[in-house]
Structure formats: structure tokens, C-alpha cells
Amino acid sequence: MGALGSQIADLLTRSGYGKWSLIDGDVLLPHNFARHALLHSLVGLSKVEAMKMHLDVILAEPVVKEVLFVDVLSSGEEENESYPCS
């Protein structure tokens, strides 16, 4: 859910395409806003939680089914948090 992923998710959601599982292990910081789809008011939140809030208000129904706060490049030995959405 970095700069490119956030823009793609935003545009595809606005097109009415699918339900989403969001994956990123990073937190939104001020330097992210040059190209990111999110707003400055969300600084400090995980990118996946912030994008969930952003995407779920675009259409009349929620479009995010799950968020995963994980680093996909890690070895997997660390505990990561998964938040299924209702």
C-alpha cells in the first residue's frame, strides 16, 4: 500500500472492481505524501488501516475484507498481525 499500490487500489475501487485484502508492514509518514493516495491527517497509522478507512468510504459498501500488517519480504519468523474485517 505504498505510493503506487495506493493509487491503483484507489482507482480500481472507484471503478467498482472487487473486494480487497490489503498488505503492507509500514506506517504512513510525512515523506509518503508526495505520491500517496492518503491524506496528511492519517500520519502515524499503518498504511493498511489508513487505506481501509479510505477505500471503505468510496462506495456505498465496504470493499476491504482483510488487512495484513506484514512485511512480505521477511522470513516469516516474526509474529505479524492480521485483522479480518467484518
Coordinates of all heavy atoms in Angstrom, one line a residue:
M1 N 0.8 -1.2 0.0 CA 0.0 0.0 0.0 C 0.9 1.2 0.0 O 0.5 2.2 0.6 CB -0.9 0.0 1.2 CG -2.1 -1.0 1.1 SD -3.3 -0.5 -0.2 CE -2.7 -1.4 -1.6
G2 N 1.9 1.2 -0.7 CA 2.8 2.3 -0.9 C 2.2 3.3 -1.9 O 1.0 3.3 -2.2
A3 N 3.1 4.1 -2.5 CA 2.6 5.2 -3.4 C 1.9 4.6 -4.6 O 0.8 5.0 -4.9 CB 3.8 6.0 -3.8
L4 N 2.5 3.7 -5.3 CA 1.9 3.1 -6.5 C 0.6 2.2 -6.1 O -0.4 2.3 -6.7 CB 2.9 2.3 -7.3 CG 2.4 1.6 -8.5 CD1 1.8 2.7 -9.5 CD2 3.5 0.8 -9.2
G5 N 0.8 1.4 -5.1 CA -0.3 0.5 -4.7 C -1.5 1.2 -4.2 O -2.6 0.8 -4.5
S6 N -1.3 2.3 -3.5 CA -2.4 3.1 -3.0 C -3.2 3.8 -4.1 O -4.4 3.8 -4.1 CB -1.9 4.2 -2.0 OG -1.2 5.2 -2.7
Q7 N -2.5 4.2 -5.2 CA -3.1 4.8 -6.3 C -3.9 3.8 -7.1 O -5.0 4.1 -7.6 CB -2.1 5.5 -7.2 CG -1.4 6.7 -6.6 CD -2.3 7.9 -6.3 OE1 -3.4 8.0 -6.8 NE2 -1.8 8.7 -5.4
I8 N -3.3 2.6 -7.3 CA -4.0 1.6 -8.1 C -5.3 1.1 -7.3 O -6.3 1.0 -7.9 CB -3.0 0.4 -8.3 CG1 -2.0 0.8 -9.3 CG2 -3.8 -0.8 -8.8 CD1 -0.8 -0.2 -9.4
A9 N -5.1 0.9 -6.0 CA -6.3 0.4 -5.2 C -7.4 1.5 -5.2 O -8.6 1.2 -5.3 CB -5.9 0.1 -3.8
D10 N -7.0 2.8 -5.1 CA -8.0 3.8 -5.2 C -8.7 3.8 -6.5 O -10.0 3.9 -6.5 CB -7.3 5.2 -4.9 CG -8.3 6.3 -4.9 OD1 -8.9 6.5 -3.9 OD2 -8.3 7.1 -5.9
L11 N -8.0 3.8 -7.6 CA -8.6 3.8 -8.9 C -9.5 2.6 -9.2 O -10.6 2.7 -9.8 CB -7.6 4.0 -10.0 CG -6.8 5.3 -10.0 CD1 -5.7 5.3 -11.0 CD2 -7.8 6.5 -10.4
L12 N -9.0 1.4 -8.9 CA -9.8 0.2 -9.1 C -11.1 0.2 -8.2 O -12.1 -0.3 -8.6 CB -8.9 -1.0 -8.9 CG -7.9 -1.3 -10.0 CD1 -7.0 -2.5 -9.6 CD2 -8.5 -1.4 -11.3
T13 N -11.0 0.7 -7.0 CA -12.1 0.7 -6.1 C -13.2 1.7 -6.7 O -14.3 1.4 -6.8 CB -11.7 1.2 -4.7 OG1 -10.9 0.2 -4.2 CG2 -12.9 1.3 -3.8
R14 N -12.7 2.8 -7.2 CA -13.6 3.8 -7.8 C -14.3 3.2 -9.1 O -15.4 3.6 -9.5 CB -12.9 5.1 -8.1 CG -12.5 5.9 -6.9 CD -11.7 7.1 -7.2 NE -11.2 7.7 -6.0 CZ -11.9 8.4 -5.1 NH1 -13.2 8.7 -5.4 NH2 -11.4 8.9 -4.0
S15 N -13.6 2.2 -9.7 CA -14.2 1.6 -10.9 C -15.1 0.5 -10.5 O -15.7 -0.2 -11.4 CB -13.1 1.0 -11.7 OG -12.2 2.0 -12.2
G16 N -15.2 0.2 -9.2 CA -16.1 -0.9 -8.7 C -15.6 -2.2 -8.8 O -16.3 -3.2 -8.8
Y17 N -14.3 -2.3 -8.9 CA -13.6 -3.6 -9.1 C -13.3 -4.3 -7.7 O -12.5 -3.9 -6.9 CB -12.3 -3.5 -9.8 CG -11.6 -4.8 -10.1 CD1 -12.0 -5.6 -11.1 CD2 -10.5 -5.2 -9.3 CE1 -11.4 -6.8 -11.3 CE2 -9.9 -6.4 -9.5 CZ -10.3 -7.2 -10.5 OH -9.7 -8.4 -10.7
G18 N -14.0 -5.4 -7.4 CA -13.7 -6.4 -6.4 C -13.7 -6.0 -5.0 O -14.0 -4.9 -4.6
K19 N -13.4 -7.0 -4.2 CA -13.1 -6.9 -2.7 C -11.6 -7.0 -2.5 O -10.9 -7.7 -3.3 CB -13.8 -7.9 -1.9 CG -15.3 -7.9 -2.1 CD -15.9 -6.8 -1.2 CE -17.4 -6.9 -1.3 NZ -18.1 -5.9 -0.6
W20 N -11.1 -6.3 -1.5 CA -9.6 -6.2 -1.4 C -9.1 -6.8 0.0 O -9.7 -6.7 1.0 CB -9.2 -4.8 -1.4 CG -9.6 -4.1 -2.7 CD1 -10.7 -3.5 -3.1 CD2 -8.7 -4.2 -3.8 NE1 -10.6 -3.1 -4.4 CE2 -9.4 -3.5 -4.9 CE3 -7.5 -4.7 -4.1 CZ2 -8.9 -3.3 -6.1 CZ3 -7.0 -4.5 -5.4 CH2 -7.7 -3.8 -6.4
S21 N -7.9 -7.4 -0.1 CA -7.1 -7.7 1.0 C -5.9 -6.8 0.9 O -5.2 -6.9 -0.1 CB -6.7 -9.2 1.0 OG -7.8 -10.0 1.2
L22 N -5.6 -6.0 1.9 CA -4.5 -5.0 1.8 C -3.3 -5.6 2.6 O -3.5 -6.0 3.8 CB -5.0 -3.7 2.4 CG -6.3 -3.1 1.8 CD1 -6.6 -1.8 2.5 CD2 -6.1 -2.9 0.3
I23 N -2.1 -5.5 2.1 CA -0.9 -6.0 2.7 C 0.2 -4.9 2.7 O 0.5 -4.4 1.6 CB -0.4 -7.3 2.0 CG1 -1.5 -8.3 2.0 CG2 0.8 -7.8 2.7 CD1 -1.2 -9.5 1.1
D24 N 0.7 -4.6 3.9 CA 1.8 -3.7 4.0 C 2.3 -3.7 5.4 O 1.5 -3.8 6.3 CB 1.5 -2.3 3.5 CG 2.8 -1.5 3.2 OD1 3.6 -1.4 4.1 OD2 2.9 -1.0 2.1
G25 N 3.6 -3.7 5.6 CA 4.1 -3.7 7.0 C 4.7 -2.3 7.4 O 5.6 -2.3 8.2
D26 N 4.2 -1.3 6.8 CA 4.8 0.1 7.0 C 3.7 1.0 7.6 O 2.5 0.8 7.5 CB 5.3 0.6 5.7 CG 6.3 1.7 5.8 OD1 6.7 2.0 6.9 OD2 6.7 2.3 4.8
V27 N 4.2 2.1 8.2 CA 3.4 3.1 8.8 C 3.5 4.4 7.9 O 4.5 4.6 7.3 CB 3.9 3.5 10.2 CG1 3.2 4.6 10.8 CG2 3.8 2.2 11.1
L28 N 2.4 5.1 7.8 CA 2.3 6.3 7.0 C 3.1 7.4 7.7 O 2.9 7.8 8.8 CB 0.9 6.7 6.8 CG 0.5 7.6 5.7 CD1 0.9 7.0 4.4 CD2 -1.0 7.9 5.7
L29 N 4.1 8.0 6.9 CA 4.9 9.0 7.4 C 4.8 10.3 6.5 O 4.4 10.1 5.4 CB 6.4 8.6 7.5 CG 6.6 7.4 8.5 CD1 8.0 6.9 8.4 CD2 6.3 7.8 9.9
P30 N 5.2 11.4 7.0 CA 5.1 12.7 6.2 C 5.7 12.6 4.8 O 5.2 13.1 3.8 CB 5.7 13.7 7.0 CG 5.5 13.3 8.4 CD 5.7 11.8 8.3
H31 N 6.9 11.9 4.7 CA 7.5 11.9 3.4 C 6.8 11.0 2.3 O 7.0 11.1 1.1 CB 9.0 11.4 3.5 CG 9.1 10.0 3.9 ND1 9.2 9.5 5.2 CD2 9.2 8.9 3.1 CE1 9.3 8.2 5.2 NE2 9.3 7.8 3.9
N32 N 5.7 10.3 2.8 CA 5.0 9.4 1.9 C 4.0 10.2 1.0 O 3.5 9.7 0.0 CB 4.2 8.4 2.6 CG 5.0 7.4 3.4 OD1 4.8 7.2 4.6 ND2 6.0 6.8 2.7
F33 N 3.7 11.4 1.4 CA 2.5 12.2 0.8 C 2.8 12.8 -0.6 O 1.9 13.3 -1.2 CB 2.0 13.2 1.7 CG 1.4 12.5 3.0 CD1 2.0 12.6 4.2 CD2 0.2 11.8 2.9 CE1 1.5 12.0 5.3 CE2 -0.3 11.2 3.9 CZ 0.3 11.3 5.2
A34 N 4.0 12.7 -1.1 CA 4.3 13.3 -2.4 C 3.5 12.6 -3.5 O 3.1 13.2 -4.4 CB 5.8 13.2 -2.7
R35 N 3.3 11.3 -3.3 CA 2.7 10.5 -4.3 C 1.6 9.6 -3.8 O 0.9 8.9 -4.6 CB 3.7 9.6 -5.1 CG 4.7 10.4 -5.9 CD 5.8 9.6 -6.4 NE 6.6 8.9 -5.3 CZ 7.6 9.4 -4.6 NH1 7.9 10.7 -4.8 NH2 8.2 8.7 -3.7
H36 N 1.4 9.5 -2.5 CA 0.4 8.6 -1.9 C -1.0 9.1 -2.0 O -1.3 10.3 -2.1 CB 0.8 8.4 -0.4 CG 0.4 7.1 0.1 ND1 -0.9 6.7 0.4 CD2 1.1 5.9 0.3 CE1 -0.9 5.5 0.8 NE2 0.3 5.0 0.8
A37 N -2.0 8.1 -2.1 CA -3.4 8.5 -2.2 C -4.0 9.0 -0.9 O -5.1 9.6 -0.9 CB -4.2 7.3 -2.7
L38 N -3.3 8.8 0.2 CA -3.9 9.1 1.5 C -3.6 10.6 1.9 O -2.8 11.2 1.3 CB -3.4 8.2 2.6 CG -3.8 6.7 2.4 CD1 -3.1 5.9 3.4 CD2 -5.3 6.6 2.6
L39 N -4.4 11.0 2.9 CA -4.3 12.4 3.4 C -3.3 12.6 4.6 O -3.1 11.6 5.3 CB -5.6 12.9 3.8 CG -6.7 12.9 2.7 CD1 -8.1 13.3 3.2 CD2 -6.3 13.8 1.5
H40 N -2.8 13.8 4.8 CA -1.9 14.0 5.9 C -2.4 13.7 7.3 O -1.7 13.5 8.2 CB -1.4 15.5 5.8 CG -0.5 15.8 4.7 ND1 -0.9 16.0 3.4 CD2 0.8 15.9 4.7 CE1 0.1 16.3 2.7 NE2 1.2 16.2 3.4
S41 N -3.7 13.8 7.4 CA -4.4 13.6 8.7 C -4.2 12.2 9.2 O -4.5 11.9 10.4 CB -5.9 14.0 8.6 OG -6.5 13.1 7.7
L42 N -3.7 11.3 8.4 CA -3.6 9.9 8.8 C -2.2 9.5 9.1 O -1.9 8.3 9.3 CB -4.1 9.0 7.6 CG -5.6 9.2 7.2 CD1 -5.9 8.5 6.0 CD2 -6.5 8.8 8.4
V43 N -1.3 10.5 9.3 CA 0.1 10.2 9.7 C 0.2 9.4 10.9 O -0.6 9.6 11.9 CB 0.9 11.5 9.9 CG1 2.2 11.3 10.6 CG2 1.2 12.2 8.5
G44 N 1.0 8.4 11.0 CA 1.2 7.5 12.1 C 0.4 6.2 12.1 O 0.7 5.3 12.9
L45 N -0.6 6.1 11.3 CA -1.4 4.9 11.2 C -0.7 3.9 10.3 O 0.1 4.3 9.4 CB -2.8 5.2 10.6 CG -3.7 6.0 11.4 CD1 -5.0 6.2 10.7 CD2 -4.0 5.3 12.7
S46 N -1.0 2.6 10.4 CA -0.4 1.7 9.4 C -1.0 2.0 8.1 O -2.2 2.4 8.0 CB -0.7 0.3 9.9 OG -2.1 0.0 9.8
K47 N -0.3 1.8 7.0 CA -0.8 2.1 5.7 C -2.0 1.3 5.4 O -3.0 1.8 4.7 CB 0.3 1.9 4.6 CG 1.4 2.9 4.7 CD 2.4 2.7 3.6 CE 3.5 3.7 3.7 NZ 4.6 3.4 2.7
V48 N -2.1 0.0 5.8 CA -3.2 -0.8 5.5 C -4.5 -0.4 6.2 O -5.6 -0.4 5.7 CB -2.9 -2.3 5.8 CG1 -2.0 -2.9 4.8 CG2 -2.5 -2.6 7.2
E49 N -4.4 0.0 7.5 CA -5.5 0.5 8.2 C -6.0 1.8 7.6 O -7.2 2.1 7.5 CB -5.2 0.7 9.7 CG -5.1 -0.6 10.5 CD -6.4 -1.4 10.5 OE1 -7.5 -0.8 10.5 OE2 -6.3 -2.6 10.6
A50 N -5.1 2.7 7.3 CA -5.5 4.0 6.7 C -6.1 3.8 5.3 O -7.1 4.5 5.0 CB -4.2 4.9 6.6
M51 N -5.6 2.9 4.5 CA -6.2 2.6 3.2 C -7.5 2.0 3.3 O -8.5 2.2 2.5 CB -5.3 1.8 2.3 CG -4.2 2.5 1.6 SD -4.7 3.9 0.5 CE -5.5 3.0 -0.8
K52 N -7.7 1.1 4.3 CA -9.0 0.5 4.6 C -10.1 1.6 4.8 O -11.1 1.6 4.2 CB -9.0 -0.5 5.7 CG -10.3 -1.0 6.1 CD -10.3 -1.8 7.4 CE -11.7 -2.3 7.8 NZ -12.9 -1.9 7.2
M53 N -9.7 2.5 5.7 CA -10.7 3.6 6.0 C -11.0 4.4 4.7 O -12.1 4.8 4.5 CB -10.1 4.5 7.1 CG -10.0 3.9 8.4 SD -9.5 4.9 9.8 CE -8.1 5.8 9.2
H54 N -9.9 4.7 4.0 CA -10.1 5.5 2.7 C -11.0 4.8 1.7 O -11.9 5.3 1.1 CB -8.7 5.8 2.1 CG -8.7 6.4 0.8 ND1 -9.0 7.8 0.7 CD2 -8.4 5.9 -0.4 CE1 -8.9 8.1 -0.6 NE2 -8.6 7.0 -1.3
L55 N -10.7 3.5 1.4 CA -11.4 2.7 0.4 C -12.8 2.4 0.8 O -13.7 2.4 -0.1 CB -10.6 1.4 0.1 CG -9.2 1.6 -0.5 CD1 -8.6 0.3 -0.7 CD2 -9.3 2.4 -1.8
D56 N -13.0 2.1 2.1 CA -14.4 1.7 2.5 C -15.4 2.8 2.4 O -16.6 2.6 2.5 CB -14.3 1.1 3.9 CG -13.9 -0.3 3.9 OD1 -13.9 -1.0 2.8 OD2 -13.6 -0.8 5.0
V57 N -15.0 4.1 2.3 CA -16.0 5.2 2.1 C -16.2 5.6 0.7 O -17.0 6.5 0.4 CB -15.6 6.4 3.0 CG1 -15.5 6.0 4.5 CG2 -14.3 7.0 2.6
I58 N -15.5 5.0 -0.2 CA -15.6 5.4 -1.6 C -17.0 5.0 -2.2 O -17.7 5.7 -2.9 CB -14.4 4.9 -2.5 CG1 -13.2 5.6 -2.1 CG2 -14.7 5.0 -4.0 CD1 -11.9 5.1 -2.8
L59 N -17.3 3.7 -2.0 CA -18.6 3.2 -2.5 C -19.6 3.0 -1.3 O -19.3 3.2 -0.2 CB -18.3 1.8 -3.1 CG -17.3 1.8 -4.3 CD1 -17.1 0.4 -4.8 CD2 -17.8 2.7 -5.4
A60 N -20.8 2.6 -1.7 CA -21.8 2.5 -0.7 C -21.6 1.3 0.3 O -22.3 1.3 1.3 CB -23.2 2.4 -1.4
E61 N -20.8 0.4 0.0 CA -20.5 -0.7 0.8 C -19.0 -0.9 1.0 O -18.2 -0.5 0.2 CB -21.1 -2.0 0.2 CG -20.5 -2.3 -1.1 CD -21.1 -3.6 -1.8 OE1 -22.3 -3.6 -1.8 OE2 -20.4 -4.5 -2.2
P62 N -18.6 -1.5 2.1 CA -17.2 -1.7 2.4 C -16.5 -2.6 1.3 O -17.2 -3.6 0.8 CB -17.1 -2.4 3.7 CG -18.4 -2.1 4.4 CD -19.4 -1.9 3.3
V63 N -15.3 -2.3 0.9 CA -14.7 -3.1 -0.2 C -13.4 -3.8 0.4 O -12.8 -4.6 -0.4 CB -14.3 -2.2 -1.4 CG1 -15.5 -1.7 -2.0 CG2 -13.3 -1.1 -1.0
V64 N -13.0 -3.6 1.6 CA -11.8 -4.2 2.2 C -12.3 -5.4 3.1 O -13.0 -5.1 4.0 CB -10.9 -3.2 2.9 CG1 -9.8 -4.0 3.5 CG2 -10.5 -2.1 2.0
K65 N -11.9 -6.6 2.7 CA -12.3 -7.7 3.6 C -11.2 -8.1 4.6 O -11.6 -8.7 5.6 CB -12.6 -8.9 2.7 CG -11.5 -9.4 1.9 CD -11.9 -10.6 1.0 CE -10.7 -11.1 0.2 NZ -11.1 -12.3 -0.6
E66 N -10.0 -7.7 4.4 CA -8.9 -8.1 5.3 C -7.7 -7.1 5.2 O -7.4 -6.7 4.1 CB -8.5 -9.5 5.0 CG -7.4 -10.0 5.9 CD -7.0 -11.5 5.6 OE1 -7.2 -11.9 4.4 OE2 -6.6 -12.2 6.5
V67 N -7.1 -6.8 6.3 CA -5.8 -6.1 6.2 C -4.7 -6.9 6.9 O -5.0 -7.5 8.0 CB -5.9 -4.6 6.8 CG1 -6.9 -3.8 6.1 CG2 -6.3 -4.7 8.3
L68 N -3.6 -6.9 6.3 CA -2.4 -7.6 6.9 C -1.3 -6.7 7.1 O -0.8 -6.1 6.1 CB -2.0 -8.8 6.0 CG -3.0 -9.8 5.7 CD1 -2.6 -10.7 4.6 CD2 -3.3 -10.6 6.9
F69 N -0.9 -6.4 8.3 CA 0.3 -5.6 8.6 C 1.5 -6.5 8.7 O 1.9 -6.9 9.8 CB 0.0 -4.8 10.0 CG 1.1 -3.8 10.3 CD1 1.1 -2.6 9.6 CD2 2.0 -4.1 11.3 CE1 2.1 -1.7 9.9 CE2 3.0 -3.2 11.6 CZ 3.1 -2.0 10.9
V70 N 2.1 -6.8 7.5 CA 3.2 -7.7 7.4 C 4.2 -7.2 6.4 O 3.9 -6.4 5.5 CB 2.8 -9.1 7.0 CG1 1.8 -9.8 8.0 CG2 2.1 -9.1 5.7
D71 N 5.4 -7.6 6.6 CA 6.5 -7.3 5.6 C 6.6 -8.6 4.8 O 7.0 -9.6 5.2 CB 7.8 -7.0 6.3 CG 8.9 -6.8 5.4 OD1 8.7 -6.9 4.2 OD2 10.0 -6.5 5.9
V72 N 6.2 -8.5 3.5 CA 6.2 -9.7 2.6 C 7.6 -10.2 2.3 O 7.8 -11.3 1.8 CB 5.4 -9.5 1.3 CG1 3.9 -9.2 1.7 CG2 5.9 -8.3 0.5
L73 N 8.6 -9.4 2.6 CA 10.0 -9.8 2.3 C 10.7 -10.4 3.5 O 11.8 -10.8 3.4 CB 10.8 -8.6 1.8 CG 10.3 -7.9 0.5 CD1 11.1 -6.7 0.2 CD2 10.2 -8.9 -0.6
S74 N 10.0 -10.4 4.7 CA 10.6 -11.0 5.9 C 10.6 -12.5 5.8 O 9.8 -13.1 5.0 CB 9.9 -10.5 7.1 OG 8.6 -11.1 7.2
S75 N 11.4 -13.2 6.6 CA 11.5 -14.6 6.6 C 10.2 -15.3 7.2 O 10.1 -16.5 7.1 CB 12.7 -15.1 7.4 OG 12.5 -14.7 8.8
G76 N 9.4 -14.6 7.9 CA 8.2 -15.2 8.4 C 8.3 -15.7 9.9 O 7.4 -16.2 10.4
E77 N 9.5 -15.5 10.4 CA 9.7 -16.0 11.8 C 9.1 -15.1 12.8 O 8.8 -15.5 13.9 CB 11.2 -16.1 12.0 CG 11.9 -17.1 11.2 CD 13.4 -17.2 11.4 OE1 13.9 -16.5 12.3 OE2 14.1 -17.8 10.6
E78 N 8.8 -13.8 12.5 CA 8.2 -12.9 13.4 C 6.7 -13.0 13.4 O 6.1 -13.4 12.4 CB 8.6 -11.5 13.1 CG 10.1 -11.2 13.0 CD 10.4 -9.8 12.5 OE1 9.5 -9.0 12.3 OE2 11.6 -9.6 12.2
E79 N 6.1 -12.7 14.5 CA 4.6 -12.7 14.6 C 4.1 -11.4 13.9 O 4.6 -10.4 14.1 CB 4.2 -12.7 16.0 CG 4.5 -13.9 16.8 CD 3.3 -14.9 16.8 OE1 2.2 -14.4 16.6 OE2 3.5 -16.1 17.1
N80 N 3.2 -11.6 13.0 CA 2.6 -10.5 12.3 C 1.1 -10.4 12.6 O 0.5 -11.4 13.0 CB 2.8 -10.6 10.8 CG 4.2 -10.5 10.4 OD1 4.8 -9.5 10.7 ND2 4.8 -11.5 9.7
E81 N 0.5 -9.2 12.5 CA -0.9 -9.0 12.8 C -1.7 -9.1 11.6 O -1.5 -8.5 10.6 CB -1.0 -7.7 13.5 CG -0.2 -7.6 14.8 CD -0.4 -6.2 15.5 OE1 -1.5 -5.7 15.5 OE2 0.6 -5.6 15.9
S82 N -2.9 -9.8 11.8 CA -3.9 -9.9 10.7 C -5.2 -9.4 11.3 O -5.5 -9.8 12.4 CB -4.0 -11.3 10.2 OG -5.0 -11.4 9.3
Y83 N -5.9 -8.6 10.6 CA -7.2 -8.1 11.1 C -8.3 -8.4 10.1 O -8.5 -7.6 9.1 CB -7.1 -6.6 11.3 CG -5.9 -6.1 12.2 CD1 -4.8 -5.7 11.6 CD2 -6.0 -6.2 13.5 CE1 -3.7 -5.2 12.4 CE2 -5.0 -5.8 14.3 CZ -3.8 -5.3 13.8 OH -2.8 -4.9 14.6
P84 N -9.0 -9.5 10.2 CA -10.2 -9.7 9.4 C -11.2 -8.6 9.6 O -11.4 -8.1 10.7 CB -10.7 -11.0 9.7 CG -9.9 -11.5 10.9 CD -8.8 -10.5 11.2
C85 N -11.8 -8.1 8.6 CA -12.8 -7.0 8.7 C -14.2 -7.6 8.6 O -14.5 -8.5 7.8 CB -12.6 -6.0 7.5 SG -10.9 -5.4 7.5
S86 N -15.1 -7.0 9.3 CA -16.5 -7.5 9.3 C -17.3 -6.6 8.5 O -17.0 -5.5 8.1 CB -17.0 -7.6 10.7 OG -16.8 -6.4 11.4

